[in-house]
Amino acid sequence: MYTQRKTSLPFEIQAELALIRPSIHARRANIVVKFQDLYGFTVEGNVDDVNILNDVREKMREQGKVWWAMEASKGANWYLQTYASSVALTSSLRFSVLVNAMTLKKLIRKGIPPVLRPKVWFSLSGAAKKKSTVPDSYYDDLTSAVQDRVTPATKQIDHDLPRTFPGHPWLDTPEGHAAVRRVLVGYSFRDSDVGYCQGLNYVAALLLLVMKTEEEAFWMLAVLLEDVLVNDCYTDNLSGCHVEQRVFQDLLTQKCPRLSAHLEALGFDVSLVATEWFLCLFSKSLPSETTMRVWDVLFYEGAKILFNVALAIFKLKEEELLMTHHVGDAIKIIQNTTHHLFDPDDLLTVAFDKISFMTTNLSKQRKKQETAVMAELDQRLRRLNTSKLSVIS
């Protein structure tokens, strides 16, 4: 039985970001090469993709120097003081606090260095505060108490474990499966309304790769589901996810009216691609280092960033999508685009600089769509119950 849940997990992020060097033959022939990314995933790409990843790693090194300089001048946990001050003084921000808050936001949008990511996420997301409200033994007590319990949630988790990033050098091992299972089963008993929903396995797996301990990964999942994302995204009827997709469709119509009209004429529904995006938080769609950059902002700025990123993907390929004649062609373009977004800045520059909307408007749109979604789900349930009664009679 695995008991040392507060010790470091066996998968370690390399402190030094080594450059990827394909063979001379591969460079000359421009053939597809395979290599491991920073988080251990096998990536397939050509030499151009390798060059992009090397550039990204160089930018990450430079960004790391900025963070180290901030720590040297302001202290190791300067961002905690900045965050606390900005939260406490929202009504009357001092200029110095405002400047520090803007600096922190800018730095996070440019990427948190991988070695700092665990403690920055844990602190700024609210996970540390949430953990502090319960006894230190909470996670160990919870996982020990439920380890032999069998529920529909645990059965589904066991079914999904082998399909969670197959081939990964740690996640796809008995030890990796056990760690993911403990986190997911533990949370399914913490919040029985959510229990377990497919998609959370990918989220929990990536959290385990980033965070230093299994327990921290559990609390990151908790703060994500309880505070960061909108309610009911992962409940049985996925009502929250349906609401987010309706809102996304509205935003796409506002920001890319020509593209939205074209896709509608094709019979393309955004749920064909966006369901996975919103349930897995892009963890199955984007390269891992790009996903982490999205999550950097998600844990600091909130769920609105998911709309920015989703819109940016469509915006990046707007002209190409306008040339499509079939739904399948549009899906292929989008999936190919997401799988090869190795440079996070290509995506996030569009997401932040070309896509903007008011958070207040977002709240209004959610309320509007929530009413429509709940009415539709209720009607669907009534039809289902009527059909069951007809069969019985």
Side-chain angles (χ1 to χ4, degrees):
M1 175 180 163
Y2 180 82
T3 56
Q4 296 180 318
R5 291 161 196 153
K6 293 185 180 180
T7 59
S8 295
L9 292 165
F11 182 83
E12 290 289 337
I13 303 301
Q14 298 174 8
E16 280 296 317
L17 304 173
L19 295 180
I20 305 162
R21 303 188 185 282
S23 67
I24 293 176
H25 171 69
R27 291 198 298 270
R28 286 175 178 171
N30 199 32
I31 61 175
V32 172
V33 293
K34 290 185 178 181
F35 48 89
Q36 274 196 348
D37 68 12
L38 188 63
Y39 291 92
F41 293 98
T42 299
V43 179
E44 290 188 5
N46 57 31
V47 175
D48 288 338
D49 294 326
V50 172
N51 290 336
I52 290 172
L53 272 171
N54 283 334
D55 289 342
V56 168
R57 293 189 176 191
E58 184 58 39
K59 285 190 286 187
M60 290 169 70
R61 268 191 287 267
E62 293 302 312
Q63 182 67 359
K65 293 177 183 177
V66 177
W67 279 81
W68 304 134
M70 292 294 289
E71 293 209 344
S73 64
K74 294 179 178 291
N77 295 318
W78 67 274
Y79 49 86
L80 287 181
Q81 299 164 6
T82 297
Y83 177 69
S85 298
S86 64
V87 170
L89 298 173
T90 50
S91 59
S92 58
L93 283 172
R94 292 198 305 266
F95 181 72
S96 60
V97 173
L98 183 60
V99 169
N100 285 340
M102 291 174 65
T103 300
L104 178 58
K105 182 177 179 178
K106 185 177 179 181
L107 276 177
I108 289 174
R109 285 188 171 193
K110 286 191 173 181
I112 302 169
V115 293
L116 287 179
R117 194 165 267 146
K119 74 170 187 174
V120 176
W121 278 11
F122 200 64
S123 301
L124 296 186
S125 66
K129 183 177 180 180
K130 188 175 287 288
K131 179 181 178 296
S132 71
T133 63
V134 298
D136 287 344
S137 61
Y138 178 92
Y139 179 69
D140 283 340
D141 292 344
L142 174 64
T143 53
S144 296
V146 304
Q147 62 180 344
D148 296 323
R149 300 272 295 275
V150 177
T151 66
T154 64
K155 290 179 181 178
Q156 187 61 55
I157 290 167
D158 289 334
H159 180 72
D160 288 346
L161 286 173
R163 302 187 295 182
T164 306
F165 299 123
H168 187 275
W170 181 70
L171 290 173
D172 195 15
T173 65
E175 187 174 11
H177 286 174
V180 176
R181 187 183 192 278
R182 278 189 295 272
V183 170
L184 291 172
V185 170
Y187 192 81
S188 76
F189 281 93
R190 173 180 168 86
D191 186 346
S192 58
D193 288 337
V194 171
Y196 170 73
C197 175
Q198 288 178 305
L200 289 179
N201 51 320
Y202 297 100
V203 175
L206 278 196
L207 287 172
L208 281 164
L209 292 184
V210 175
M211 306 309 294
K212 291 298 183 183
T213 69
E214 185 180 312
E215 184 178 21
E216 288 183 353
F218 170 84
W219 286 111
M220 289 300 300
L221 183 65
V223 81
L224 185 66
L225 298 180
E226 295 165 17
D227 300 327
V228 177
L229 300 176
V230 297
N231 293 333
D232 300 328
C233 268
Y234 296 96
T235 50
D236 285 343
N237 62 8
L238 299 177
S239 60
C241 185
H242 289 303
V243 169
E244 296 295 81
Q245 296 200 51
R246 296 283 188 91
V247 173
F248 174 55
Q249 178 62 70
D250 288 346
L251 290 170
L252 185 65
T253 301
Q254 293 171 25
K255 300 298 176 182
C256 306
R258 288 175 58 229
L259 178 58
S260 178
H262 176 73
L263 293 176
E264 186 177 353
L266 290 182
F268 177 95
D269 191 297
V270 294
S271 64
L272 293 170
V273 292
T275 299
E276 182 178 281
W277 295 351
F278 284 101
L279 286 179
C280 301
L281 307 179
F282 296 100
S283 60
K284 277 189 70 181
S285 309
L286 296 173
S288 67
E289 293 176 43
T290 304
T291 301
M292 297 309 174
R293 285 283 302 279
V294 172
W295 287 14
D296 285 346
V297 187
L298 173 67
F299 286 122
Y300 185 59
E301 296 187 35
K304 65 177 184 179
I305 182 59
L306 301 177
F307 294 108
N308 290 76
V309 172
L311 288 167
I313 292 169
F314 278 87
K315 192 71 176 175
L316 280 168
K317 291 296 178 179
E318 182 171 14
E319 296 305 318
E320 195 171 337
L321 288 168
L322 285 169
M323 300 296 291
T324 56
H325 299 285
H326 303 284
V327 171
D329 295 335
I331 294 173
K332 186 175 181 180
I333 289 170
I334 292 167
Q335 290 180 339
N336 186 60
T337 299
T338 55
H339 292 159
H340 290 85
L341 276 169
F342 294 114
D343 188 344
D345 289 330
D346 287 346
L347 175 64
L348 297 180
T349 298
V350 176
F352 298 140
D353 296 345
K354 296 185 179 181
I355 305 293
S356 61
F357 48 83
M358 297 295 291
T359 306
T360 52
N361 292 340
L362 194 59
S363 299
K364 290 178 182 177
Q365 287 175 296
R366 278 176 172 151
K367 287 181 181 179
K368 171 189 168 186
Q369 293 296 349
E370 184 177 0
T371 302
V373 165
M374 294 310 295
E376 195 172 293
L377 289 174
D378 184 60
Q379 189 178 31
R380 189 182 303 173
L381 183 61
R382 288 172 184 271
R383 285 200 302 266
L384 182 62
N385 290 336
T386 301
S387 299
K388 287 181 178 178
L389 288 173
S390 299
V391 171
I392 293 172
S393 59

